[in-house]
């Protein structure tokens, strides 16, 4: 049976191509440049593979990301609307990227071309693993028979309950992104201080804790889930990692043993990994409040 409406998001949600296909969700690719060479980041890595991206990241190549053009959204959404489907677009938080604004421009164009169709855009106030959580929530709502409006309302009601916590292994990437001073990055490296960061309700990165060693920072991520997750036994906890799969799997195992219903592990894509660097790892889950 055809889906009652289409769901559109961006590759920045970091769900892989197989999972997106199973969910029936379409993802717009994210433009990146690596040492001046332009690529499109697709969930299936067709233009630049994850292996090549992380190889360049380890070499400290100059990697820049940008928002997809409105035309990229239109190109994927238009055939869906022409086929008679309505559209729900779930976008990356505007505090993290200009992607949502670009998507909204595209939706405006599409509303003019398809006035008979229902077209809704929603800021998820999230990114990476948090955005993935909400995209999957929307797909489940649709599969359970909810309307487009009911699904959008459910996501909107839960978006500020999605808690994001993450840590980094190498603070230099954050320094290069302009989010950390050179002094703080150097001091953290010398003292082996690793920050545990969170995404605030305002969409800003704030320091939640400072700990000695990467291992202890990852352990703190587990503690945050155990302490703050709402009704953990009925939750799926999302984990994104920047090419440290073994670390992510160990963290996932601890979270499942603590009682979580399940975990989903995603590989952090260029949109976020370019700024956080190899070794970054984060969790997203539903809390009483972010």
């Amino acid at each position: 049976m055809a889906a009652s409406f289409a769901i559109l998001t961006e590759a920045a949600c970091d769900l892989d191509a197989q999972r997106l296909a199973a969910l029936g969700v379409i993802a717009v690719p994210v433009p990146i440049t690596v040492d001046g060479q332009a690529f499109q980041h697709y969930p299936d890595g067709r233009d630049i593979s994850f292996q090549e991206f992380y190889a360049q990241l380890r070499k400290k190549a100059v990697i820049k990301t940008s928002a997809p053009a409105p035309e990229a959204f239109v190109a994927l959404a238009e055939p869906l609307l022409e086929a008679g489907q309505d559209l729900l677009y779930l976008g990356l938080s505007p505090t993290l990227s200009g992607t949502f604004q670009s998507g909204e421009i595209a939706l405006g164009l599409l509303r003019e071309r398809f006035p008979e169709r229902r077209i809704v855009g929603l800021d998820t106030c999230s990114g990476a693993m948090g955005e993935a959580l909400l995209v999957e929530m929307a797909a489940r709502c649709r599969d359970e028979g909810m309307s487009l409006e009911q699904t959008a309302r459910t996501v909107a009601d839960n978006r500020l309950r999605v808690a994001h916590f993450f840590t980094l292994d190498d603070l230099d990437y954050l320094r290069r992104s302009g989010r950390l001073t050179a002094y703080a990055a150097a001091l953290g490296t010398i003292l082996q201080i690793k920050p545990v960061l969170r995404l605030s309700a305002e969409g800003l990165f704030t320091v939640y804790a400072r700990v000695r060693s990467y291992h202890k920072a990852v352990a703190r991520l587990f503690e945050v889930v155990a302490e703050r997750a709402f009704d953990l036994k009925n939750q799926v906890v999302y984990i994104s990692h920047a090419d440290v799969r073994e670390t992510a799997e160990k963290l996932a195992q601890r979270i499942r043993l603590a009682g979580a219903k399940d975990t989903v592990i995603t590989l952090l894509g260029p949109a976020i990994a370019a700024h956080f660097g190899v070794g970054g790892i984060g969790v997203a889950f539903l809390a009483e409040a972010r």
Side-chain angles (χ1 to χ4, degrees):
M1 186 175 77
S4 57
F5 58 90
I7 299 174
L8 181 71
T9 188
E10 318 97 1
C13 77
D14 290 334
L15 291 170
D16 63 36
Q18 293 76 16
R19 199 168 185 97
L20 286 167
L23 293 169
V25 174
I26 307 299
V28 175
V30 176
I32 69 168
T33 61
V34 180
D35 284 340
Q37 185 175 358
F39 298 95
Q40 293 285 331
H41 164 56
Y42 290 89
D44 61 5
R46 72 186 74 167
D47 198 23
I48 179 169
S49 69
F50 285 92
Q51 182 179 9
E52 177 58 22
F53 166 74
Y54 275 104
Q56 293 297 326
L57 194 61
R58 282 188 166 88
K59 290 193 290 188
K60 300 292 179 82
V62 178
I63 299 175
K64 297 181 180 180
T65 63
S66 58
E71 291 76 18
F73 291 89
V74 171
L76 289 179
E78 196 165 40
L80 303 170
L81 296 165
E82 287 175 343
Q85 286 193 291
D86 296 322
L87 181 69
L88 174 61
Y89 163 53
L90 300 176
L92 180 66
S93 173
T95 61
L96 302 178
S97 166
T99 298
F100 183 73
Q101 290 91 329
S102 187
E104 280 287 271
I105 292 170
L107 295 193
L109 297 171
L110 291 167
R111 290 185 183 106
E112 292 179 2
R113 296 180 195 177
F114 301 92
E116 74 284 5
R117 300 260 60 89
R118 293 174 299 166
I119 301 173
V120 176
L122 187 65
D123 166 18
T124 64
C125 302
S126 299
M129 63 273 178
E131 188 177 5
L133 186 160
L134 292 171
V135 167
E136 294 211 341
M137 178 186 291
R140 286 196 304 273
C141 289
R142 181 182 62 183
D143 292 347
E144 291 168 2
M146 286 191 188
S147 68
L148 186 155
E149 290 79 10
Q150 289 171 325
T151 299
R153 192 177 308 117
T154 299
V155 173
D157 288 346
N158 284 282
R159 59 187 171 180
L160 290 182
R161 294 183 59 214
V162 180
H164 304 64
F165 290 85
F166 57 95
T167 192
L168 312 172
D169 188 32
D170 186 344
L171 299 182
D172 190 54
Y173 294 94
L174 203 60
R175 177 195 62 77
R176 293 168 66 191
S177 75
R179 293 183 172 92
L180 189 68
T181 66
Y183 173 76
L187 187 64
T189 300
I190 292 169
L191 299 178
Q192 278 297 294
I193 294 173
K194 306 298 181 185
V196 176
L197 305 172
R198 61 184 287 269
L199 188 65
S200 72
E202 296 73 33
L204 303 175
F205 295 129
T206 61
V207 176
Y208 177 75
R210 294 180 177 87
V211 297
R212 288 285 184 93
S213 87
Y214 178 70
H215 174 75
K216 289 181 179 178
V218 175
R220 183 61 64 89
L221 294 180
F222 166 75
E223 292 168 2
V224 167
V225 173
E227 293 166 2
R228 296 201 55 202
F230 175 79
D231 193 18
L232 184 60
K233 66 180 184 299
N234 289 312
Q235 271 214 57
V236 177
V237 176
Y238 289 72
I239 301 169
S240 283
H241 70 95
D243 209 23
V244 282
R245 179 81 192 190
E246 185 177 348
T247 300
E249 287 177 346
K250 288 179 179 178
L251 177 59
Q253 183 180 30
R254 288 194 71 187
I255 291 171
R256 288 193 299 271
L257 288 173
K261 180 179 179 181
D262 203 357
T263 56
V264 173
I265 298 175
T266 67
L267 181 59
L268 203 62
I272 305 296
H275 306 291
F276 289 172
V278 176
I281 185 168
V283 293
F285 53 91
L286 289 174
E288 290 280 5
R290 183 179 292 186

